[in-house]
Amino acid sequence: MNPVRRIALAAALSAATWFWLGDRAEASEWGCEVLLCASSSDPSWRGVPACHPPMNRLISAMRGWGFSWPTCPEAGTGKPGYEAYDECPAGWSVGSSNQDHGAGQPDLCVQVRNTCPLGFGGRDGCEQTLTMSRPMREDPYYFDITHDDGNVTRHWFNLKR
């Protein structure tokens, strides 16, 4: 390879590396802004004007094909978790409305009650199964943030504008 082509190739590779690292740094900065804003709880990110640009950018980017959640490697969090449903009330267990067809969404709360009259406890046919829709979480996304002492704090948030 002649020296001119070698220099041109080296320059092109250097420029590509510089642009690639610049994009990664920008993505990391954006990911850290998203993490800081999402973990804001009082007020939530919607009440912090400086959080509107990075969070609105995130919400818009999520609609695009090939979306990849911006992360903050410095915080060690990665992308957030998502749990659409809240816990069932005490005394109720999680169930699915689609149990007959494999693993469905855990969208129900189920409670089995004994309806037998006193003195007839445990007879077949005396159980009544009650179901109710499982409550939806107001804030379905979360980041788990590990502190220096090893404790983990879960920060819940939503992306409603």
Side-chain angles (χ1 to χ4, degrees):
M1 185 180 296
N2 71 32
V4 173
R5 291 183 97 189
R6 200 175 295 178
I7 291 171
L9 181 60
L13 286 173
S14 296
T17 302
W18 183 77
F19 282 117
W20 180 74
L21 288 174
D23 285 349
R24 287 182 54 110
E26 181 184 330
S28 174
E29 183 178 321
W30 177 36
C32 291
E33 289 173 339
V34 167
L35 175 63
L36 285 170
C37 291
S39 62
S40 176
S41 58
D42 193 16
S44 73
W45 69 266
R46 286 176 306 289
V48 181
C51 288
H52 295 177
M55 296 303 280
N56 287 335
R57 178 181 171 194
L58 173 71
I59 293 166
S60 295
M62 289 175 77
R63 292 187 202 122
W65 182 81
F67 169 74
S68 180
W69 197 281
T71 60
C72 183
E74 298 84 357
T77 56
K79 65 182 187 174
Y82 181 83
E83 290 182 19
Y85 296 101
D86 209 344
E87 302 300 322
C88 289
W92 293 73
S93 59
V94 174
S96 172
S97 59
N98 196 15
Q99 289 178 343
D100 296 337
H101 303 297
Q105 288 284 339
D107 58 349
L108 294 177
C109 293
V110 179
Q111 186 180 62
V112 178
R113 293 185 182 167
N114 182 356
T115 58
C116 292
L118 289 176
F120 293 98
R123 292 182 116 178
D124 291 337
C126 291
E127 289 185 343
Q128 179 183 22
T129 301
L130 302 174
T131 62
M132 68 176 181
S133 295
R134 194 166 169 201
M136 300 295 287
R137 285 190 185 278
E138 177 71 25
D139 298 328
Y141 294 93
Y142 64 88
F143 279 111
D144 285 335
I145 299 177
T146 305
H147 303 279
D148 292 338
D149 61 3
N151 289 324
V152 176
T153 303
R154 182 163 283 182
H155 294 274
W156 294 93
F157 65 100
N158 69 49
L159 296 175
K160 296 175 188 167
R161 291 184 196 198

